[in-house]
Amino acid sequence: MTQTVGQNSIGFPVEGTSLQWVLDQIPVGILLAEAPSGRIVFGNKHIEAICRHPVIPSSNKEGHKQWISYHADGTQVQSHEYPLVRTIETGIRAELEVHYQRGDGTRSWIRITSAPIRDSGNQLIGAIGALIEIDTQRRNTDELRQTRERLEAAINVAEMGLWTWHVGGPIIPDGNLATLFGLRQEHVDGGLSWDVYYSRIHPDDRATVEAARRMALATGGPYTPEYRVLGLDGEVHWVAARGRAKLDVNGNPLSLNGAVLDITDRKRTEQALRESEERFRTLAAAVPQLIWTATPEGDVDYFSEQWAEFTGEKATDFHGWRWEKLMHPDDLADTVAAWSHCVKTGEPYEINQRLRHHSGEWRWLLTRARPLRDTNGKIYKWVGSCTDIHKQLLTENELRRANADLESFSFAAAHDLQEPLRMITSHTQLLAKRFEGKLDDDSREVMDTVVNGAKRISLLVQDLLAYTSVARNIEQPREIVDLNRALNRALDHLSETVTGTNAKVRTTPLPCVMGYELQFVQLFQNLLSNSIKYRSEGAPEITVEAERKGVNWILSVKDNGIGIDPEYHKQIFGVFKRLHDQQIPGTGIGLAICQRVVERHGGQLWVESAGEGHGSTFRFLLPAMPEEVALKFSASKL
Ligand code: ADP
């Protein structure tokens, strides 16, 4: 229904006239107000559609406040701010965008424009207001503004240069282009020619850029050259251009637009990467091992030059999993299983396997690999090495076999010699007894020599047996050995000698260590008996002590004996090495046994002596028991 409000005193008839019909057809809200009261005298059909309520009558300007609407900042629009009121008051056009509170409770953006209505005498008699819904328009404008802001932010953050070029015109730069090309903004303000543009490009790269431009213009395709330019800072910068040419329907070039980005850092990183890759390859080629790398999935992607030297085959033919072809069939399953496991778990890889040498021989290699991880712990590469251990393995095997043979031979020999030796000794002694007083001096001397010789051989055999058995025991599990107990047992065995020589043995508390007690008894026995045997004039004085040094114990057996010249400090530990003739009996094996015992327990043995007449101190280092074992042990003793 057409809204005609109150009496139409505006001076022009609307209701029922063709003007009303026309106004009702317009898809714009129309309001008429009279001057000077501001009374609304007419509203067309569309007003109701926009406001979703009938026209609100108002008898004066104040009445306009019944139309509730808001500014963009949320404050309510006052009566005098409405364009109709303003036009009536001022006689000129007015415009306002308001957020209108519609009859159905929703809000809509409306643009109100008003214009004065004057009579033939130019007297202001009223105002006409047009109301248009601008919700969509505002939304689009907002989106457009946001997109533009985002684009500008991106261009600024990326320090990107933009350019537009229409064929025949100058290049129009935008964004950071001037700075990137070492030009001041004022130089590029009216656009720049291709000559100026090219003059900033590194001479070596100009041809590349020109070729890219020609290609893009000829095909309408992308323009993507990367080249060097001289920046404002005077430094050479790498830039990447990304653009596209536009052609008309006949294929003639119209324009070329795009962006330029500084990629100096990327180029530097690429260069550094290339150099580091080169260094790695040079290093890999220089070491005696064969070096290789693999992808996180376990596919070999690089073999150093040694691959070709070893296999006689081209490395690249064996990338991926193709190296399997050269692997010994008996080692293949284990190798593949181990490698797959490590690739899956990231555990370090280590395996011995045979690879076919170019001579056709299968050679043993020790292969190891470790994963390289990025800052997030993700594996990005495996680096591996193969060391030719063929000779070493064969030599070790032979040595082990030879050692084992020797050990069992000397053990068997020493063991089997014991019985006949005992027989010789006892029968010679029997013979000596039987012929006592009946032999002349010469014969007695011969007899004594035989008896002594037999005794010495027997001693030697016993020592040899002790020496070889140090290695034999090693298969048995180690136990906690109380060294005080071992020392006391050794002293028990030597009690006669100790008493006989009036020796004084001072002992301090000794620690417990892991190992074999009998071997330590033997060790103390040999060292103590030497201290007594190699005594000087007075009675032997011996001190046994222990001192903790970090994770080790250092034990010492110190005597006041004849001492040892520093020249012989190393030599005396060798088998059969003695510094004396048979005036002081001995086999020269005692210290060799001691050294073997200490070494088998992971330690070291050495002697300190200032030389003849200064006594000797034999020291040996032994690893202390792990803390938790020691604690458990002392707790069990409480
Ligand atoms: P043996 O005592 O049977 O000769 P060892 O291997 O026990 O053989 O000792 C090697 C040599 O080291 C001895 O011959 C001796 O000259 C010297 N020696 C060992 N212990 C001492 C010591 N406490 N004082 C002086 N010399 C020693």
Side-chain angles (χ1 to χ4, degrees):
M1 193 192 83
T2 304
Q3 308 296 322
T4 306
V5 184
Q7 200 210 339
N8 187 356
S9 60
I10 200 167
F12 50 84
V14 176
E15 197 177 352
T17 65
S18 54
L19 178 63
Q20 179 190 340
W21 184 85
V22 171
L23 291 177
D24 279 342
Q25 301 314 307
I26 301 175
V28 170
I30 301 285
L31 282 177
L32 293 177
E34 68 170 14
S37 69
R39 188 167 71 91
I40 291 173
V41 295
F42 174 77
N44 76 344
K45 270 188 183 171
H46 205 70
I47 285 289
E48 202 170 323
I50 295 177
C51 300
R52 305 211 179 146
H53 61 66
V55 171
I56 301 169
S58 72
S59 52
N60 54 28
K61 287 183 268 188
E62 267 311 295
H64 285 251
K65 73 176 173 211
Q66 297 172 76
W67 301 72
I68 299 169
S69 56
Y70 301 89
H71 293 289
D73 65 6
T75 56
Q76 197 171 339
V77 178
Q78 301 300 309
S79 307
H80 66 273
E81 293 176 296
Y82 282 109
L84 270 177
V85 177
R86 275 162 53 201
T87 299
I88 281 169
E89 282 178 351
T90 61
I92 56 170
R93 298 170 69 91
E95 187 180 295
L96 184 68
E97 286 181 8
V98 298
H99 208 193
Y100 190 74
Q101 180 76 43
R102 298 194 289 201
D104 62 1
T106 61
R107 284 189 185 185
S108 170
W109 279 98
I110 297 173
R111 182 182 297 128
I112 311 170
T113 322
S114 69
I117 304 170
R118 296 178 187 278
D119 62 12
S120 50
N122 204 23
Q123 189 66 35
L124 182 72
I125 55 167
I128 179 166
L131 282 74
I132 309 171
E133 267 185 306
I134 52 164
D135 262 344
T136 321
Q137 190 187 330
R138 269 188 84 103
R139 223 178 3 254
N140 289 346
T141 316
D142 273 358
E143 272 170 21
L144 206 65
R145 185 175 40 78
Q146 280 174 16
T147 309
R148 210 186 152 70
E149 278 170 6
R150 275 202 296 268
L151 191 68
E152 272 171 11
I155 289 169
N156 282 337
V157 168
E159 296 182 347
M160 204 183 275
L162 302 177
W163 88 92
T164 321
W165 176 67
H166 290 279
V167 175
I171 299 170
I172 308 297
D174 199 357
N176 211 35
L177 194 98
T179 319
L180 277 177
F181 276 71
L183 298 163
R184 298 201 181 285
Q185 196 57 44
E186 60 263 30
H187 297 140
V188 298
D189 272 350
L192 67 157
S193 68
W194 280 101
D195 283 349
V196 175
Y197 189 82
Y198 280 138
S199 70
R200 307 305 302 162
I201 297 177
H202 193 290
D204 293 353
D205 296 344
R206 283 178 200 156
T208 317
V209 178
E210 178 55 15
R213 184 173 78 113
R214 279 180 196 286
M215 177 65 101
L217 292 177
T219 60
Y223 168 77
T224 57
E226 289 187 357
Y227 52 95
R228 285 160 291 174
V229 294
L230 196 65
L232 252 189
D233 51 9
E235 301 261 321
V236 171
H237 290 256
W238 271 98
V239 296
R242 295 284 179 272
R244 185 170 281 280
K246 268 197 199 127
L247 310 181
D248 67 13
V249 281
N250 300 317
N252 298 316
L254 287 175
S255 62
L256 181 63
N257 306 329
V260 188
L261 202 62
D262 190 325
I263 54 159
T264 312
D265 287 346
R266 195 193 86 196
K267 284 281 180 189
R268 263 194 214 128
T269 315
E270 279 173 8
Q271 175 73 10
L273 208 67
R274 249 196 317 276
E275 280 170 13
S276 116
E277 180 83 12
E278 218 163 279
R279 269 204 300 278
F280 168 71
R281 281 171 193 248
T282 315
L283 198 72
V287 296
Q289 281 94 344
L290 187 171
I291 306 292
W292 50 272
T293 62
T295 63
E297 294 74 39
D299 296 335
V300 173
D301 56 4
Y302 162 77
F303 284 113
S304 65
E305 290 168 17
Q306 289 85 337
W307 173 269
E309 279 167 29
F310 186 93
T311 61
E313 308 266 2
K314 206 167 132 209
T316 43
D317 292 347
F318 289 85
H319 284 177
W321 281 78
R322 277 168 284 169
W323 46 265
E324 291 176 37
K325 283 191 272 175
L326 295 185
M327 177 116 349
H328 192 289
D330 293 351
D331 301 338
L332 191 59
D334 283 352
T335 305
V336 171
W339 180 230
S340 304
H341 172 79
C342 292
V343 165
K344 208 186 292 167
T345 60
E347 287 170 21
Y349 174 70
E350 182 166 332
I351 199 164
N352 283 349
Q353 93 255 97
R354 281 159 291 181
L355 204 68
R356 206 178 67 218
H357 190 249
H358 62 79
S359 61
E361 183 188 20
W362 292 109
R363 294 184 73 99
W364 281 101
L365 298 180
L366 163 66
T367 302
R368 282 191 175 139
R370 296 275 181 285
L372 296 179
R373 296 172 188 275
D374 62 18
T375 43
N376 299 319
K378 201 164 166 268
I379 295 174
Y380 64 91
K381 191 111 268 46
W382 283 86
V383 179
S385 68
C386 300
T387 312
D388 191 339
I389 51 161
H390 197 69
K391 262 198 201 132
Q392 182 192 334
L393 217 64
L394 291 189
T395 319
E396 261 175 30
N397 281 345
E398 266 166 32
L399 207 68
R400 207 172 294 129
R401 211 172 311 127
N403 262 344
D405 288 351
L406 206 66
E407 291 280 355
S408 35
F409 168 74
S410 42
F411 181 77
H415 198 262
D416 295 350
L417 278 176
Q418 296 249 71
E419 192 46 38
L421 268 176
R422 240 194 312 273
M423 259 171 57
I424 293 173
T425 323
S426 59
H427 280 83
T428 330
Q429 279 167 343
L430 208 67
L431 215 59
K433 214 173 224 166
R434 195 171 291 172
F435 289 101
E436 214 177 345
K438 293 181 196 148
L439 294 177
D440 57 26
D441 286 352
D442 281 352
S443 308
R444 210 168 34 247
E445 209 173 301
V446 171
M447 193 69 92
D448 282 351
T449 312
V450 172
V451 170
N452 283 339
K455 272 188 192 158
R456 274 182 56 204
I457 296 177
S458 172
L459 215 65
L460 197 67
V461 165
Q462 267 175 29
D463 278 358
L464 266 179
L465 206 57
Y467 183 71
T468 47
S469 66
V470 174
R472 291 187 157 261
N473 280 344
I474 222 73
E475 249 86 84
Q476 289 164 14
R478 291 175 171 225
E479 290 169 345
I480 294 170
V481 178
D482 182 351
L483 292 179
N484 300 294
R485 207 173 101 111
L487 175 65
N488 285 334
R489 285 181 70 181
L491 282 170
D492 268 359
H493 296 169
L494 295 170
S495 60
E496 258 180 49
T497 328
V498 171
T499 327
T501 56
N502 225 358
K504 301 237 164 353
V505 182
R506 195 174 72 84
T507 63
T508 57
L510 304 183
C512 291
V513 293
M514 297 301 295
Y516 309 98
E517 185 178 282
L518 270 183
Q519 295 190 1
F520 283 112
V521 175
Q522 177 101 57
L523 168 75
F524 281 126
Q525 198 171 319
N526 288 4
L527 293 178
L528 290 170
S529 68
N530 276 353
S531 289
I532 296 173
K533 210 159 52 162
Y534 300 106
R535 65 184 176 275
S536 42
E537 297 295 295
E541 284 178 17
I542 308 165
T543 311
V544 184
E545 282 176 319
E547 190 192 348
R548 179 75 185 234
K549 274 265 157 72
V551 290
N552 298 309
W553 284 105
I554 295 185
L555 286 99
S556 56
V557 177
K558 183 179 173 194
D559 64 41
N560 60 343
I562 57 173
I564 305 164
D565 196 298
E567 189 185 335
Y568 302 112
H569 283 187
K570 286 230 157 56
Q571 187 184 317
I572 53 170
F573 294 100
V575 183
F576 303 133
K577 295 288 187 239
R578 315 200 58 228
L579 303 179
H580 300 89
D581 58 20
Q582 281 306 319
Q583 276 178 331
I584 304 179
T587 59
I589 299 178
L591 285 180
I593 294 175
C594 293
Q595 192 175 44
R596 220 173 192 200
V597 168
V598 172
E599 282 176 0
R600 293 281 152 136
H601 285 84
Q604 274 169 280
L605 169 68
W606 69 97
V607 67
E608 291 168 9
S609 169
E612 253 176 66
H614 291 92
S616 316
T617 307
F618 283 83
R619 291 190 199 279
F620 54 99
L621 176 146
L622 289 174
M625 282 198 296
E627 208 65 44
E628 63 277 9
V629 181
L631 280 175
K632 218 191 259 171
F633 179 63
S634 44
S636 72
K637 287 213 313 190
L638 288 177

